[in-house]
Amino acid sequence: MHPKLLLAGAYRTLFLGPPAPQTDPLILWLIPMVGRANAGDWERACAVLAETLASIEAVRYANWKVLLCSQDRPEGFVDGPRHQFVQAPPQDMSKGISDQNIKARLLAEHAARTCKGFTYVSHLDADDLIHPDLPGWIAADNNGSGYLVEKGYMLDASSGRLARMGTGTGEMAFWTHCGSSGYFAVDFGRQKFPAFHLRLIGKGHKNYIGRSARLGRPLSLIPFPAMMYLVNHGENMQSRRGHDKLLYLAQNEVTDPAEAAAIYAEFGLRLRKEAGKGGVIEVIRG
């Protein structure tokens, strides 16, 4: 058995206790972002992040917060009641091309110091988009345990092409491709060692189901397409690792223009007249 599963069982027995969900829980997104020195194009990375943040700001639920961790603060990201920047140390490239695990730890520790009360915590990549009804749905259902995004879409940032995920036969579930797929119940007001809880879950999305179950907090599936996974904008970690997500997109593409337009509208998106730094898709502001 993996050591984290053993630790999860011990933590559950010794410290976790039964969940006590509260009305209108906080929805907290922890965003690890590549630093300027290791970004292929820092301006593009910031432009893509801006759409992710805009999709959060467009949600139809009031109690949310974003923690963003990077070596460099993106231009326009200002600390406030709902936005906080967490400083990351310089990246040690001898340990690999990604320092997301270090940033996930720093974000969890910052959340434990600054957040109070019952919360659903999500590790959100700096290039994915949220359905505006997702946080409100989680808060209304409020199972006290957590949720997993099974249904969603893959979106080609350079062309606007869409592919279905987890909605029909032959499609792969959203969570198998995208790390922005889990929402984990953490009670920062009552729970002991909440940062350790989040570290036991980790950032590996294919482990979310097993580790959450071992913690006694099994994840419920969200019943509608709730997230968009952006690919092909040049700053995906999977692109840096040489993984071509466009093969899946080609096999599961939404080819009906009317259906694609309806999906854009549901997520509050539109195609730009001219491609921007972050691609052809933008969140409709205001």
Side-chain angles (χ1 to χ4, degrees), residues 64-108:
W64 57 264
K65 187 174 181 179
V66 169
L67 301 182
L68 173 70
C69 183
S70 179
Q71 283 78 13
D72 304 278
R73 182 190 293 267
E75 184 177 353
F77 189 90
V78 179
D79 283 0
R82 288 182 166 179
H83 302 80
Q84 289 184 12
F85 181 75
V86 179
Q87 184 66 53
Q91 183 172 346
D92 182 356
M93 294 303 291
S94 68
K95 296 182 179 180
I97 64 173
S98 173
D99 62 349
Q100 287 202 7
N101 287 331
I102 293 172
K103 289 171 179 171
R105 174 177 58 80
L106 293 172
L107 286 163

Side-chain angles (χ1 to χ4, degrees), residues 207-275:
N207 296 317
Y208 285 168
I209 294 174
R211 291 179 182 174
S212 295
R214 187 71 175 174
L215 284 161
R217 301 283 174 88
L219 302 177
S220 298
L221 298 178
I222 295 168
F224 61 93
M227 294 286 302
M228 278 198 181
Y229 175 30
L230 265 68
V231 299
N232 199 31
H233 54 69
E235 292 300 325
N236 294 85
M237 182 53 63
Q238 295 302 325
S239 297
R240 296 192 189 110
R241 290 172 173 160
H243 299 169
D244 186 1
K245 297 291 185 175
L246 296 183
L247 295 175
Y248 177 88
L249 192 147
Q251 294 169 353
N252 298 277
E253 184 174 357
V254 176
T255 56
D256 180 359
E259 182 182 355
I263 294 169
Y264 294 146
E266 186 177 352
F267 276 78
L269 308 176
R270 64 187 170 199
L271 287 168
R272 299 177 188 268
K273 293 181 180 178
E274 295 184 6

Side-chain angles (χ1 to χ4, degrees), residues 6 29 49 62 87 161-162 190 194 220 253:
L6 292 172
W29 289 284
L49 171 69
Q87 184 66 53
R161 295 163 60 206
L162 289 164
R190 294 161 47 97
S220 298
E253 184 174 357

Side-chain angles (χ1 to χ4, degrees), residues 159-175:
S159 69
R161 295 163 60 206
L162 289 164
R164 303 177 191 87
M165 305 184 77
T167 64
T169 303
E171 300 168 14
M172 297 187 71
F174 186 89
W175 63 266

